[in-house]
């Protein structure tokens, strides 16, 4: 990937892009998100780590409104998240999401998987959408697989297609929820390499991952969650060498 192939992202760099303020979320009796304060700046890469069940996925899902919140506010580029209808569909296009399970449409080709959103949601013409999709598939290293179906690709290739599919919508921010957790070890690096490239090009990213190599290489900030709360946040260097909370020390002791 080269810098020229991406849209200019330098404009407004460093300004708040995603702002969560006083966010509370319950699932029945369970307090899943506790008074979350988090600002992600344009061009920033935030890695979210924490034990299973600490609310990392829920946090991601609130940002593209797959989950509603009970209290507080979330803004994207200064605008409150829309609640429904076309505005909500537009929001989902602006917030790209990549999950642990790749969620590609099994009965559509790789190319169709990537063009579907731009054509249906963005109203892009078929030829233009296909041109852009082929560029993106080349960028993530699966350009030669465009006519195949998802099941014919490896997990790592499918996950790279999922990234290309999200990028095709020209999102303002990309959310990654444990994107390599379901992959065989030899495929993890090929996905992380694509993510590091994206980060280097200035994409704003929120990444839930336990890949500490990625966090050290690409993250500007590590946010550590436990029991639905942000317990501490710091640069990767500081967080990994001098975690301040007992929860973080305990967690790092288990995974490092
Ligand atoms: P993480 O991604 O850090 O493992 P999650 O955000 O998935 O954590 O979950 C946080 C807590 O919320 C967990 O206790 C989980 O069981 C609960 N939870 C998540 N989604 C739902 C849901 N849709 N309904 C009920 N409980 C949920
Ligand atoms: Mg999760």
């Amino acid at each position: 990937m080269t810098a020229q192939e991406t849209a200019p992202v330098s404009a407004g760099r460093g300004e708040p892009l995603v702002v969560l303020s006083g966010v509370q979320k319950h699932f029945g009796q369970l307090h899943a998100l506790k008074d979350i304060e988090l600002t992600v700046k344009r061009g920033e890469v935030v890695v979210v780590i924490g034990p299973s069940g600490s609310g990392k996925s829920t946090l991601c899902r609130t940002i593209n409104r797959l989950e509603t919140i009970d209290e507080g506010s979330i803004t994207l580029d200064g605008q409150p998240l829309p609640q429904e209808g076309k505005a909500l569909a537009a929001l989902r296009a602006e917030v790209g999401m990549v999950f642990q399970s790749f969620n590609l449409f099994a009965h559509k080709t790789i190319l169709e998987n990537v063009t579907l959103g731009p054509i249906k949601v963005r109203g892009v013409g078929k030829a233009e959408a296909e041109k852009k999709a082929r560029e993106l598939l080349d960028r993530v290293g699966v350009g030669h697989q465009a006519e195949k179906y998802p099941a014919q690709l490896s997990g790592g290739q499918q996950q790279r297609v999922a990234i290309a599919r999200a990028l095709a919508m020209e999102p303002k921010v990309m959310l990654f929820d444990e994107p390599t957790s379901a992959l065989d070890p030899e495929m993890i690096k090929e996905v992380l390499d694509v993510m590091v490239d994206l980060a280097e090009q200035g994409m704003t990213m929120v990444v839930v991952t336990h890949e500490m190599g990625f966090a050290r290489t690409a993250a500007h900030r590590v946010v550590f969650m436990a029991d639905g709360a942000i317990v501490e946040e710091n640069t990767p260097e500081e967080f990994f060498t001098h975690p301040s909370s007992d929860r973080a020390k305990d967690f790092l002791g288990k995974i490092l």
Side-chain angles (χ1 to χ4, degrees):
M1 283 193 256
T2 63
Q4 298 93 283
E5 285 167 357
T6 51
V9 285
S10 51
R13 192 161 186 157
E15 285 169 11
L17 182 64
V18 182
V19 180
L20 290 87
S21 178
V23 170
Q24 310 277 1
K25 170 73 182 175
H26 295 80
F27 291 113
Q29 297 294 310
L30 179 79
H31 199 172
L33 292 179
K34 297 174 180 161
D35 197 20
I36 300 292
E37 301 285 332
L38 179 68
T39 296
V40 183
K41 293 183 234 147
R42 209 181 292 274
E44 191 178 25
V45 178
V46 174
V47 162
V48 181
I49 70 171
S52 180
S54 56
K56 307 179 299 294
S57 294
T58 304
L59 178 74
C60 281
R61 290 165 60 83
T62 61
I63 298 175
N64 69 353
R65 223 187 159 282
L66 286 170
E67 296 286 358
T68 56
I69 59 175
D70 302 331
E71 274 180 59
S73 71
I74 305 178
T75 58
L76 174 68
D77 224 355
Q79 302 293 318
L81 298 194
Q83 299 304 301
E84 56 194 8
K86 281 197 171 154
L88 182 55
L91 168 83
R92 299 255 166 80
E94 295 193 327
V95 182
M97 181 130 187
V98 175
F99 303 89
Q100 182 175 330
S101 53
F102 330 121
N103 296 335
L104 297 177
F105 296 111
H107 57 287
K108 295 201 182 290
T109 66
I110 296 306
L111 187 68
E112 287 165 348
N113 265 277
V114 179
T115 57
L116 197 67
I119 291 170
K120 296 242 159 169
V121 179
R122 290 256 191 239
V124 176
K126 188 160 178 262
E128 192 190 333
E130 289 188 351
K131 181 168 177 283
K132 175 90 185 289
R134 288 185 192 280
E135 284 169 14
L136 286 168
L137 290 170
D138 279 342
R139 261 173 65 177
V140 301
V142 290
H144 54 298
Q145 315 276 23
E147 323 304 333
K148 291 189 180 167
Y149 287 84
Q152 298 173 279
L153 272 59
S154 72
Q157 289 170 330
Q158 289 187 56
Q159 192 60 304
R160 284 180 284 146
V161 172
I163 294 172
R165 180 175 61 174
L167 292 175
M169 301 295 270
E170 301 184 343
K172 287 179 176 166
V173 53
M174 285 282 288
L175 310 176
F176 293 87
D177 190 1
E178 304 207 27
T180 60
S181 303
L183 298 177
D184 292 335
E186 73 272 20
M187 293 172 189
I188 292 176
K189 186 174 182 299
E190 64 194 35
V191 172
L192 292 177
D193 283 349
V194 168
M195 293 166 61
V196 169
D197 270 352
L198 263 184
E200 285 174 351
Q201 289 179 24
M203 175 61 78
T204 310
M205 296 163 62
V206 176
V207 184
V208 179
T209 185
H210 293 167
E211 293 293 334
M212 297 306 136
F214 174 83
R216 285 176 187 272
T217 312
H220 298 108
R221 194 152 47 109
V222 172
V223 168
F224 175 73
M225 290 185 73
D227 289 330
I230 293 178
V231 176
E232 62 179 283
E233 49 183 306
N234 217 326
T235 60
E237 301 78 49
E238 271 303 303
F239 179 76
F240 291 120
T241 50
H242 303 110
S244 57
S245 63
D246 287 343
R247 293 299 303 260
K249 283 177 196 162
D250 183 50
F251 178 74
L252 289 174
K254 284 178 184 147
I255 63 159
L256 292 181

